[in-house]
Amino acid sequence: MDLPRKFTIREGDLRIINPIDDAKLATLGRAIKLAPGTSILDLCSGKGELLCTWARDHGVTGTGVDISTVNTAAARARAAELGVADRVRFVHGDAATYVAAEPVDLAACVGATWIGDGVPGTLEILDRSLRPGGMVLVGEPYWRRDPPDEETVAGSHARSRDEFRDLPGLVRLFGECGWDLVEMVLADQDSWDRYAAAHWLNLRRWLDANPDDELAGELRQELTDDPLRYVRYRREFLGWGVFALLRR
């Protein structure tokens, strides 16, 4: 069980594997008023930047779960680098089936609602580990503009127009699932650019160093296609945010 190698090549040395940057991640931690000792479960925790920086800045504790051995190792190294390895731990495993041993104050899935086949299922997964009155964080795309055709939908990395909602529709969905939206931090075009463009440099550097690798042809085509696809479709049509929710 592991993440395909092309993902870790593309992500390279990125610490935050979604379209918010370190400043927005810090803003989110302040906005939800994290208290020392807050217990967090972070499903699909990536390289652990959320848990590690919040442990350093707010004194939280927690567990991150991720399917990638590369990401899990990077998260453990980051915890050691920031001096918080005694407060956070990282588990290589299936986030979709993981349940915390003890209910947590905050359960997060930031940018990977595929684990529950969408927002409603992911909220159910998070709720399994949440104490009564606890908070969940969900990172999710939404349509900034209505895509005019299937080419735009596909260019935005959506399987169908209905895979994502617009922002009012996403907020409405949270309510339909029984949750109040109490905070949010949204990506902007600059943080989207920094996330997307970093992939291209990572791909080019890897291709230069590994021209004979079995993935070279596929990733060369991605580097050829993705910049134009991004500026034509995702940058204009797709938004992304992290949403803090409390059960009604």
Side-chain angles (χ1 to χ4, degrees), residues 4 11 15 35 41 51 53 57 74 141 144 147 155 161 172 182 212:
E11 289 155 1
R15 285 179 172 163
L41 174 65
L51 275 177
T53 57
D57 298 340
R144 293 179 60 237
R161 169 65 180 80
R172 187 179 305 113
V182 296
D212 299 321

Side-chain angles (χ1 to χ4, degrees), residues 115-244:
I115 67 169
D117 197 27
V119 169
T122 300
L123 288 172
E124 292 177 6
I125 290 171
L126 294 170
D127 201 29
R128 295 192 306 230
S129 296
L130 195 66
R131 68 162 176 81
M135 177 180 289
V136 302
L137 296 178
V138 175
E140 180 71 0
Y142 58 88
W143 294 116
R144 293 179 60 237
R145 295 166 53 193
D146 189 45
D149 50 39
E150 288 304 311
E151 183 178 346
T152 303
V153 170
S156 300
H157 288 176
R159 291 170 293 184
S160 72
R161 169 65 180 80
D162 295 335
E163 182 176 3
F164 307 133
R165 302 191 176 202
D166 62 12
L167 187 55
L170 181 56
V171 173
R172 187 179 305 113
L173 178 60
F174 295 144
E176 292 169 353
C177 292
W179 298 82
D180 285 326
L181 176 63
V182 296
E183 257 296 356
M184 66 181 188
V185 173
L186 304 182
D188 56 27
Q189 284 196 325
D190 183 65
S191 61
W192 259 116
D193 291 349
R194 300 279 52 75
Y195 175 62
H199 289 164
W200 310 331
L201 183 57
N202 289 337
L203 288 172
R204 178 54 193 266
R205 296 295 190 223
W206 182 88
L207 286 166
D208 288 347
N210 300 275
D212 299 321
D213 190 279
E214 62 182 1
L215 290 177
E218 177 183 350
L219 295 183
R220 174 64 258 179
Q221 192 62 51
E222 179 176 336
L223 180 56
T224 300
D225 296 341
D226 194 66
L228 181 58
R229 185 165 52 222
Y230 170 72
V231 298
R232 179 177 287 173
Y233 302 118
R234 291 200 312 278
R235 192 176 193 270
E236 299 303 315
F237 287 90
L238 203 61
W240 196 90
V242 185
F243 304 89

Side-chain angles (χ1 to χ4, degrees), residues 9-179:
I9 293 169
R10 183 186 302 123
E11 289 155 1
D13 58 357
L14 284 172
R15 285 179 172 163
I16 301 174
I17 312 175
N18 59 61
I20 64 171
D21 55 24
D22 53 354
K24 289 182 180 292
L25 184 61
T27 295
L28 178 62
R30 293 191 300 269
I32 61 175
K33 300 177 173 61
L34 289 169
T38 297
S39 58
I40 299 176
L41 174 65
D42 188 9
L43 297 180
C44 300
S45 51
K47 297 181 181 178
E49 196 70 0
L50 181 151
L51 275 177
C52 291
T53 57
W54 287 2
R56 177 196 63 192
D57 298 340
H58 301 282
V60 306
T61 63
T63 298
V65 183
D66 200 273
I67 197 172
S68 168
T69 54
V70 171
N71 287 348
T72 302
R76 291 169 180 163
R78 184 64 166 155
E81 178 187 357
L82 296 186
V84 297
D86 60 332
R87 280 176 269 167
V88 297
R89 69 186 187 104
F90 295 94
V91 176
H92 173 240
D94 182 2
T97 60
Y98 190 91
V99 180
E102 299 288 339
V104 298
D105 300 316
L106 189 155
C109 181
V110 179
T113 58
W114 50 264
I115 67 169
D117 197 27
V119 169
T122 300
L123 288 172
E124 292 177 6
I125 290 171
L126 294 170
D127 201 29
R128 295 192 306 230
S129 296
L130 195 66
R131 68 162 176 81
M135 177 180 289
V136 302
L137 296 178
V138 175
E140 180 71 0
Y142 58 88
W143 294 116
R144 293 179 60 237
R145 295 166 53 193
D146 189 45
D149 50 39
E150 288 304 311
E151 183 178 346
T152 303
V153 170
S156 300
H157 288 176
R159 291 170 293 184
S160 72
R161 169 65 180 80
D162 295 335
E163 182 176 3
F164 307 133
R165 302 191 176 202
D166 62 12
L167 187 55
L170 181 56
V171 173
R172 187 179 305 113
L173 178 60
F174 295 144
E176 292 169 353
C177 292
W179 298 82

